[in-house]
Amino acid sequence: MDFPTPTTKPQIRAFLGLAGYYAHYVKKFSLNAAPLAIILKSKVKKERVNWTEECNLSFPELKNRLTQMPVVYAPVYNREFIVQTDASGS
């Protein structure tokens, strides 16, 4: 929650990189991250960015969702559960 508000593109990219690692576990991650991702598409290089009202809403919302109780938890072995894996044969 103490992550500072980014003011440059590299800082936004760093935050989205950190948050993106957990994107699969955050409900509606891409919708909340969209205003920040749009800033990265602008033509301004590394200077200060145009921080919009949508960014003021999405940045704390993403931080809040990242710090809530995780969706992933250890399986209960006496109950049935589904294991999903990658495409490997083992």
Side-chain angles (χ1 to χ4, degrees), residues 5 9 33 37 43 49 51 57 75 77-78:
T5 301
K9 279 187 171 184
K43 295 186 189 302
V49 294
W51 195 257
L57 298 173
Y77 289 103
N78 61 357

Side-chain angles (χ1 to χ4, degrees), residues 31-75:
L31 292 176
N32 285 313
L36 300 175
I38 288 171
I39 289 177
L40 296 178
K41 294 180 182 180
S42 70
K43 295 186 189 302
V44 178
K45 293 292 182 199
K46 292 186 179 179
E47 295 84 26
R48 298 180 69 85
V49 294
N50 184 17
W51 195 257
T52 64
E53 186 60 35
E54 288 99 9
C55 295
N56 277 335
L57 298 173
S58 69
F59 181 66
E61 180 64 23
L62 277 174
K63 289 197 304 184
N64 186 36
R65 288 176 184 241
L66 287 167
T67 57
Q68 289 178 347
M69 181 67 78
V71 179
V72 179
Y73 50 90

Side-chain angles (χ1 to χ4, degrees), residues 10-27:
Q11 291 173 347
I12 294 172
R13 197 172 287 114
F15 174 74
L16 289 178
L18 172 70
Y21 184 79
Y22 301 100
H24 183 73
Y25 307 109
V26 176
K27 194 172 190 176

